[in-house]
Amino acid sequence: MHLSTLARHTLARGATPAATYALLARLGHKPAPCAQAVCLALDIPLPDITRRLAECHNALLAGPRPDSEADTGEVLEALGIFDVPKELTPTEQAVVGHFLTAVDAMGGIRPGHHHGLQRWFTTGNLTAAYLSLAATHPLPRAGDPTRYWNSLTTAGELLATTPNPDTRIRYALTHCRTQVAIHT
């Protein structure tokens, strides 16, 4: 059976991408083809798969340790290797543009926060990204608070117009508008 077919079957039975990777690796297959098979089974485009696996190959896939398949699968999942990209609407693309402007206006961002934002952008979880950014503040000396809060206010207004917006967006938008008033 082809690896991606086995991965698709395993995922269809309810296994997580990490568990699917571990199963394929435990069957004696090399790590990189196992990760690629899981990505293909998730219908991730091949150029994305190639880029993602190149970014983590030396660290995780080049020299696997015995009995580390489950751990490697979990790390690959946490890194976003198995994140299924969502096709964003023009409104969602505009929201991401405002998020990127806000991130630029922060004056610096922790690597973990940046990674989380990138995963939410990829998967289309813009509500989580918005709530995370709205709970953050620009750096006092390096950031541009006016541009930061204006960008988030505009992004929140766009998110609030989507069908069935999360109620938390309204509260975060009120917070962002308050911050605009403070910083202008």
Side-chain angles (χ1 to χ4, degrees), residues 132-162:
S132 176
L133 288 168
T136 306
H137 293 273
L139 295 174
R141 292 191 176 129
D144 181 347
T146 301
R147 192 168 66 134
Y148 182 79
W149 294 113
N150 279 324
S151 296
L152 289 182
T153 297
T154 304
E157 289 168 348
L158 288 171
L159 284 172
T161 65
T162 61

Side-chain angles (χ1 to χ4, degrees), residues 1-169:
M1 183 180 286
H2 194 268
L3 275 181
S4 61
T5 303
L6 180 55
R8 191 176 308 277
H9 177 72
T10 304
L11 290 166
R13 294 181 59 115
T16 65
T20 302
Y21 168 85
L23 171 72
L24 297 177
R26 279 191 202 107
L27 291 174
H29 300 286
K30 293 186 185 275
C34 292
Q36 182 176 2
V38 174
C39 291
L40 287 170
L42 292 167
D43 295 324
I44 297 171
L46 190 56
D48 285 351
I49 296 170
T50 303
R51 178 188 49 77
R52 292 175 188 191
L53 294 180
E55 291 173 355
C56 71
H57 184 270
N58 290 339
L60 291 171
L61 303 175
R65 292 176 293 129
D67 300 322
S68 66
E69 300 89 357
D71 293 338
T72 302
E74 292 293 331
V75 171
L76 290 170
E77 193 165 299
L79 289 173
I81 301 301
F82 304 134
D83 286 351
V84 178
K86 179 186 182 278
E87 182 93 19
L88 299 179
T89 66
T91 300
E92 291 170 329
Q93 290 173 3
V95 168
V96 170
H98 290 294
F99 288 164
L100 293 173
T101 299
V103 168
D104 184 55
M106 284 177 84
I109 185 169
R110 295 181 331 275
H113 192 191
H114 185 263
H115 175 71
L117 289 171
Q118 289 301 321
R119 290 190 70 192
W120 289 326
F121 297 165
T122 298
T123 60
N125 191 349
L126 302 185
T127 296
Y130 183 66
L131 296 174
S132 176
L133 288 168
T136 306
H137 293 273
L139 295 174
R141 292 191 176 129
D144 181 347
T146 301
R147 192 168 66 134
Y148 182 79
W149 294 113
N150 279 324
S151 296
L152 289 182
T153 297
T154 304
E157 289 168 348
L158 288 171
L159 284 172
T161 65
T162 61
N164 304 315
D166 188 310
T167 56
R168 297 173 297 171
I169 290 172

